[in-house]
Amino acid sequence: MALLLPGGIATPGLVWKQRRRASICKASAAPSPDPAWRTNVVSERAARSGVEISRSIEECEAAVVSGNPPEAPPVPAKPKAPQGTPLVTPLRLSSRPRRNRKSAALRAAFQETTLTPANFILPLFIHEGEQDSPIGAMPGCFRLGWKHGLVDEVYKARDVGVNSVVLFPKIPDALKSATGDEAYNPNGLVPRAIRILKDKYPDLVIYTDVALDPYSSDGHDGIVREDGVIMNDETVHQLCKQAVAQAEAGADVVSPSDMMDGRVGAIRTALDEAGYHDVSIMAYTAKYASAFYGPFREALDSNPRFGDKKTYQMNPGNYREALLEVHADESEGADILMVKPAMPYLDVIRLLRDTSALPISAYQVSGEYSMIKAAASQGMLDEKKAVLESLLCIKRAGADVILTYAALQAARWLCGEK
Ligand code: PBG
């Protein structure tokens, strides 16, 4: 149940905090002390509350000074090692890092990176259908009906503190074209979905994808010339119109995932000229031409009709090249820089974190999600542990926020739910 403030506005963050507190309290409950020890504590407490005053502080101190200290639990016995354990002289070590890992409380105290549902952005697939339809290559994910399924899913996410979503549309083939004009139809699937979400949840943060592939009859992120070349500047022209249409519908952050040169600056100018100075840009800065996008393309039925995306997405062998993209996106006015995919590219996340002062996001993509799901369904991995570890490590590498299909499930786990 989402908590309602008097104004009727749901506050997922607050609900999350309260649940979290409950689970933290459970985890840190101390084991009950032994009964004799307890009696002393009880009578001292009774004395403090004035119910029964037994002895004064002076009397207690005098007893200790005269060599009659009160009873306390005995010094614990040294735990025995198993028979056959070799007898060795202790190593003379100036440091033993295991001391700080000795107990759950110490480990929690010294944990450098923590995950919270506020760090997650939940990608959602939407379609024109009224029912939700499962995505074969991504167990647990659905193409959601924009009117009902989408609204319900966002309710569930907010209930556990995930208040950011990014929308990906499955467009009917009949609306796809070589120039992807449906991308800026003000009454298209994405603008309609944004409007319905903003109507229900005004404080929801809505990210949108800016690229032509869901709308392109060629399945490419840009306009394809006769000879197969993806046309840069003409595509950027379309992307600007797409971004403005999304902003007009109420998007908070537009996210160009197309990898055309110069698109961040052009989109910034287009948004500003249309009066959307407050709409942010999350640039897919270091987006690699990756095999891990496979399941996503099945979900949107957006596989390139020919060739691959290597003339615009980055070569997985390249690291320094990410710096060129960082400098371009920063100077063109990006608000957030992204690395995608996430786990195979942790070094690139760290590079961006150390190079830029902007917030860094990382996209745990469809293939990363499906790998864990597939292994878990075969009993090869513990799904909960593997998912939470993967997200923690992406954050440790330097990501502030993570786009992940596991956001809802992971947030539930972080809230102590099953
Ligand atoms: C397309 C886009 C892709 C993803 C996000 N936006 C696929 C691609 O570049 O081919 C992939 C996300 C995923 O695999 O989860 N602009």
Side-chain angles (χ1 to χ4, degrees):
M1 263 287 292
L3 201 99
L4 290 178
L5 286 180
I9 300 166
T11 56
L14 185 58
V15 173
W16 178 79
K17 241 184 268 160
Q18 286 168 342
R19 287 194 189 172
R20 180 82 181 146
R21 191 175 314 139
S23 69
I24 285 169
C25 290
K26 248 182 272 159
S28 60
S32 33
D34 108 18
W37 175 238
R38 228 185 131 64
T39 321
N40 280 339
V41 175
V42 168
S43 64
E44 264 180 42
R45 270 215 206 108
R48 235 185 295 143
S49 64
V51 176
E52 169 209 318
I53 296 170
S54 43
R55 291 191 301 165
S56 68
I57 297 171
E58 290 75 12
E59 287 170 322
C60 294
E61 286 187 350
V64 174
V65 172
S66 67
N68 288 320
E71 285 217 8
V75 174
K78 278 231 164 102
K80 282 200 190 71
Q83 228 189 351
T85 302
L87 260 184
V88 301
T89 326
L91 297 171
R92 288 167 165 274
L93 300 181
S94 60
S95 98
R96 287 182 183 261
R98 287 185 55 190
R99 281 196 282 261
N100 286 346
R101 302 177 203 137
K102 196 163 50 179
S103 68
L106 287 169
R107 289 192 295 273
F110 304 135
Q111 181 161 333
E112 298 170 36
T113 305
T114 49
L115 282 176
T116 75
N119 300 128
F120 301 149
I121 301 172
L122 173 63
L124 295 170
F125 298 107
I126 52 176
H127 69 167
E128 298 285 3
E130 289 179 359
Q131 308 289 324
D132 302 338
S133 84
I135 298 164
M138 300 179 69
C141 290
F142 295 80
R143 292 188 199 101
L144 303 165
W146 68 280
K147 221 170 177 175
H148 303 293
L150 172 65
V151 173
D152 293 349
E153 192 72 1
V154 170
Y155 180 89
K156 290 182 212 159
R158 284 160 59 86
D159 194 37
V160 285
V162 177
N163 201 28
S164 302
V165 298
V166 53
L167 302 176
F168 292 104
K170 156 91 172 61
I171 301 297
D173 280 344
L175 292 177
K176 296 185 183 182
S177 68
T179 47
D181 303 282
E182 177 62 15
Y184 51 85
N185 173 0
N187 244 331
L189 179 54
V190 167
R192 263 182 283 131
I194 296 171
R195 296 199 311 255
I196 203 166
L197 287 176
K198 279 287 173 183
D199 185 55
K200 301 258 185 224
Y201 315 113
D203 63 332
L204 176 72
V205 182
I206 302 181
Y207 292 69
T208 52
D209 190 60
V210 180
L212 297 186
D213 51 329
Y215 310 91
S216 153
S217 40
D218 297 308
H220 273 287
D221 292 27
I223 300 174
V224 185
R225 206 168 59 188
E226 201 177 47
D227 57 358
V229 165
I230 311 297
M231 304 174 77
N232 193 89
D233 302 11
E234 295 75 2
T235 298
V236 171
H237 178 87
Q238 298 290 76
L239 299 177
C240 289
K241 290 182 160 180
Q242 182 181 17
V244 169
Q246 294 168 345
E248 202 162 57
D252 298 282
V253 186
V254 298
S255 324
S257 68
D258 55 285
M259 291 302 278
M260 297 299 120
D261 294 332
R263 88 280 205 214
V264 170
I267 290 173
R268 183 70 272 158
T269 304
L271 289 173
D272 289 350
E273 280 175 0
Y276 299 110
H277 301 93
D278 292 342
V279 172
S280 314
I281 299 178
M282 175 168 73
Y284 284 61
T285 298
K287 176 172 178 179
Y288 287 86
S290 172
F292 291 98
Y293 307 151
F296 173 97
R297 293 179 190 169
E298 186 205 300
L300 294 190
D301 189 18
S302 65
N303 255 302
R305 213 165 39 80
F306 66 90
D308 50 42
K309 300 193 174 183
K310 291 180 184 168
T311 68
Y312 41 110
Q313 300 179 349
M314 286 174 55
N315 180 344
N318 289 1
Y319 175 79
R320 274 182 288 121
E321 190 184 0
L323 288 175
L324 297 177
E325 296 285 355
V326 169
H327 295 139
D329 290 350
E330 272 197 330
S331 66
E332 291 174 33
D335 299 282
I336 307 164
L337 305 179
M338 190 203 289
V339 176
K340 173 183 178 184
M343 214 151 67
Y345 296 85
L346 295 178
D347 57 330
V348 182
I349 296 176
R350 172 51 53 189
L351 174 68
L352 264 64
R353 167 74 300 142
D354 290 344
T355 308
S356 176
L358 288 174
I360 305 299
S361 66
Y363 200 145
Q364 182 176 54
V365 299
S366 55
E368 298 178 75
Y369 169 86
S370 297
M371 277 197 305
I372 297 179
K373 278 280 181 190
S377 76
Q378 300 289 306
M380 294 173 183
L381 275 182
D382 178 318
E383 184 181 350
K384 175 178 174 180
K385 288 181 181 163
V387 165
L388 291 177
E389 179 179 334
S390 68
L391 296 172
L392 184 69
C393 295
I394 291 166
K395 201 165 175 220
R396 187 206 61 228
D400 298 290
V401 291
I402 304 170
L403 292 84
T404 172
Y405 301 97
L408 175 51
Q409 180 63 72
R412 284 181 174 154
W413 285 325
L414 292 173
C415 290
E417 289 179 18
K418 290 236 155 82

